[in-house]
Amino acid sequence: MQTIAPTPPAGRLILLLGKRDTPADGVQDYCEYLAQALQRRGIKTEITRVEWSSEGWMHALRKLRGQSAEWQSAWIILQYTALSWSRHGFPLGALAVLRSLKRRNHLCAAVFHESRRQGGERLVGQMRGAFQDWVIRRVYSEVDVAIFADALDEIEWLPADRNRAVFIPIGANLPEPRLPMQPSNSEPLETQTVAIYCLSDPPNLYNELNDISKAIRVAANGRKLRVVFLGRGTREAQGEISRAFDGTPGEITNLGMRDAKEVSDVLVSCDVMLCVRGETNPRRGSAIAGITCGLPIVAYGTRNKAFPISEAGVRFVPYRDSEALARSLVQVLSDAPLREQLRAANRAAQEKFFSWDTIADQMIQALNRSRGQA
């Protein structure tokens, strides 16, 4: 039986968000699943937004000051991404919100869903990125606890004294399915299904579809394949998907955006997932969704930069090496014992790293430790 972590001294947490993302909001989902796990531990948890994008900053900050008068005994945990606190990626608003709270002596933490710049390569992107780096460092210096979704050793700007920093993995924004502990059938299936969960925006989209289609053409040689696209970016890319897979044997299905339960059901029913949206890192929610659903994964990246995803059932291949991607995909599809080995590794990693109960326990411990050091 899992040990329930002690309740933090405040006993109440406020998860504070900025602007809602569309068409899906991964940070909102993160907060909802985390809140459920915290509430199972008897901790009252509220999710609230600073509605600056619809109300304007002056009104939103006045409203926040009124709300925060009732939060004196609570931990306030700001959720940071650049675009949640700025229309154009200059997130000074996050710092303004934090300083407003600190002036009232609130206990403040931050979850950094982005630990470094997201600005882009052009001049304005470099300016945006430099500004984001400055804001991130300032937020880090002012919070009582800094929670990162990246391993601390991968964050090059952190100071040597990291007492306030903690690495807590994110979980899948999906209901955890009930997975069979043993394979139901080790015999090869007549048709095998490859899942593609989420696609990037152009121009990265074109490289992703090119690499996926090459791998599928190789893997379809001598076997029946079905490729299922679903999640963010897939419906908008229907035309590009059709062109990339023109003449490819097998069935190509595009489910687009689906609710979390449907996504979970689809992934559980698949045989393997391809993850080619850049090199896999600890914040790759699509890979974590596959792990949660017990799905063997073939992914771009290296083990030493992907912890704790590297502990799960993932076969890594070098970035943009479509031939290696195809070889690994064929190997996983051809080897039923290997697939079960990867599924077992997923079950173990899910329990150890990606379960929302585990994540909630780690957050409670981090907040308790901060209070103990104060």
Side-chain angles (χ1 to χ4, degrees), residues 72-368:
Q72 289 300 328
S73 63
W75 272 97
I76 303 171
I77 307 180
L78 182 141
Q79 309 294 314
Y80 174 84
T81 69
L83 289 177
S84 64
W85 299 103
S86 167
R87 295 188 192 280
H88 304 292
F90 293 89
L92 187 62
L95 195 55
V97 165
L98 179 60
R99 288 179 173 174
S100 175
L101 295 170
K102 294 298 288 183
R103 279 196 293 269
R104 291 175 172 262
N105 297 315
H106 287 294
L107 291 166
C108 294
V111 176
F112 291 89
H113 298 273
E114 299 165 353
S115 62
R116 55 181 59 84
R117 64 175 64 194
Q118 307 291 313
E121 297 301 322
R122 296 181 178 180
L123 179 59
V124 67
Q126 293 177 16
M127 294 172 58
R128 183 183 294 117
F131 191 86
Q132 290 170 7
D133 283 345
W134 179 81
V135 169
I136 289 170
R137 287 167 170 79
R138 295 306 306 163
V139 170
Y140 172 80
S141 70
E142 298 195 19
V143 294
D144 302 289
V145 179
I147 299 165
F148 292 95
D150 290 298
L152 300 186
D153 289 344
E154 296 296 319
I155 305 173
E156 64 284 347
W157 58 264
L158 280 177
D161 180 5
R162 299 178 176 182
N163 287 337
R164 78 182 68 198
V166 60
F167 167 48
I168 301 179
I170 63 172
N173 295 333
L174 300 174
E176 296 184 19
R178 292 185 177 274
L179 302 177
M181 295 306 296
Q182 299 294 333
S184 58
N185 183 6
S186 60
E187 295 299 322
L189 301 175
E190 181 179 352
T191 299
Q192 293 177 292
T193 303
V194 179
I196 312 296
Y197 184 34
C198 302
L199 290 170
S200 299
D201 295 329
N204 294 331
L205 169 67
Y206 309 121
N207 288 333
E208 291 170 16
L209 291 177
N210 183 59
D211 291 354
I212 294 167
S213 63
K214 286 181 179 178
I216 294 299
R217 287 188 176 92
V218 173
N221 186 19
R223 62 171 51 83
K224 294 182 179 179
L225 282 187
R226 177 177 181 239
V227 182
V228 176
F229 289 85
L230 73 163
R232 189 167 188 161
T234 55
R235 179 60 65 195
E236 298 86 341
Q238 179 57 55
E240 288 81 2
I241 292 172
S242 298
R243 285 188 286 274
F245 285 84
D246 184 32
T248 302
E251 177 186 352
I252 311 299
T253 302
N254 188 347
L255 300 178
M257 292 289 294
R258 297 296 172 110
D259 67 34
K261 178 62 166 59
E262 289 180 280
V263 171
S264 180
D265 290 344
V266 170
L267 295 183
V268 166
S269 70
C270 293
D271 298 283
V272 64
M273 173 188 280
L274 289 181
C275 287
V276 299
R277 295 174 62 207
E279 294 191 81
T280 301
N281 62 63
R283 292 175 284 106
R284 184 63 70 207
S286 53
I288 295 171
I291 292 166
T292 297
C293 294
L295 188 55
I297 297 171
V298 179
Y300 281 152
T302 58
R303 295 182 61 85
N304 63 344
K305 292 185 178 181
F307 181 84
I309 290 176
S310 55
E311 304 301 297
V314 182
R315 304 296 295 269
F316 291 99
V317 300
Y319 180 56
R320 292 304 320 277
D321 189 339
S322 59
E323 293 183 0
L325 187 75
R327 287 195 300 270
S328 288
L329 176 60
V330 170
Q331 183 180 15
V332 174
L333 289 171
S334 302
D335 191 335
L338 173 61
R339 290 198 301 277
E340 179 51 29
Q341 177 185 338
L342 297 175
R343 290 183 187 276
N346 282 338
R347 290 192 290 267
Q350 170 67 15
E351 181 177 354
K352 185 175 181 180
F353 300 110
F354 303 115
S355 155
W356 286 106
D357 287 328
T358 298
I359 292 166
D361 286 344
Q362 291 182 16
M363 185 165 290
I364 292 168
Q365 291 164 10
L367 300 180
N368 276 338

Side-chain angles (χ1 to χ4, degrees), residues 49 51 55 58-68:
R49 287 187 181 273
E51 299 284 3
E55 299 176 352
M58 295 299 291
H59 184 273
L61 288 172
R62 284 197 300 269
K63 183 177 178 181
L64 176 66
R65 285 194 291 271
Q67 290 176 304
S68 66

